[in-house]
Amino acid sequence: MTEKEMFEFLYKLFKKTELNAKETAQAIGWSYSKFTKLFSGPEALSEKFIKEHKIIPTWTRATNKSSRRWKLKEIARWIVDTEEKSC
């Protein structure tokens, strides 16, 4: 599947171009619990490490700087890149 096809699929599913953490976890096939443990708790990883190793799609900060938002384009790119690496 191409990045464009993945974007269109995700857009049909979510009907918006930016997702919160719960929606992003659903889009990439992770549980919300596993997803949030990346950022908090005893097993939390630094944001720098997460971004460098591309563990999840890159994100932007909302205006209040405490919440993260993921763009569908970044999620689609991450999914396609991850699928290519696993083949």
Side-chain angles (χ1 to χ4, degrees), residues 3-4 8 11-12 15 18 22-23 28-30 38 40 44 48 50-51 65 68-71 74 76 81-82:
E3 186 178 323
K4 182 181 178 186
E8 290 170 354
Y11 187 78
K12 286 179 186 176
K15 308 272 190 276
E18 282 194 355
K22 193 170 197 172
E23 295 163 332
I28 66 171
W30 287 25
L38 288 175
S40 61
K48 182 179 177 183
I50 294 169
K51 287 181 178 181
K65 297 191 178 187
R68 297 170 185 90
R69 303 291 298 172
W70 285 262
K71 295 183 179 192
E74 293 296 327
D81 289 348
T82 304

Side-chain angles (χ1 to χ4, degrees), residues 2-85:
T2 67
E3 186 178 323
K4 182 181 178 186
E5 292 168 333
M6 180 58 69
F7 178 89
E8 290 170 354
F9 171 78
L10 292 171
Y11 187 78
K12 286 179 186 176
L13 183 64
F14 293 102
K15 308 272 190 276
K16 53 187 172 178
T17 59
E18 282 194 355
L19 305 181
N20 63 28
K22 193 170 197 172
E23 295 163 332
T24 301
Q26 180 185 357
I28 66 171
W30 287 25
S31 71
Y32 180 62
S33 174
K34 177 181 177 181
F35 194 82
T36 56
K37 285 180 183 176
L38 288 175
F39 299 104
S40 61
E43 299 171 12
L45 301 173
S46 71
E47 288 188 6
K48 182 179 177 183
F49 183 86
I50 294 169
K51 287 181 178 181
E52 284 176 357
H53 291 87
K54 299 179 182 176
I55 296 171
I56 59 173
T58 57
W59 61 88
T60 57
R61 290 287 189 168
T63 53
N64 64 8
K65 297 191 178 187
S66 64
S67 64
R68 297 170 185 90
R69 303 291 298 172
W70 285 262
K71 295 183 179 192
L72 276 190
K73 184 177 180 180
E74 293 296 327
I75 296 169
R77 180 180 299 132
W78 183 88
I79 291 170
V80 170
D81 289 348
T82 304
E83 286 177 353
E84 288 175 358
K85 289 178 185 175

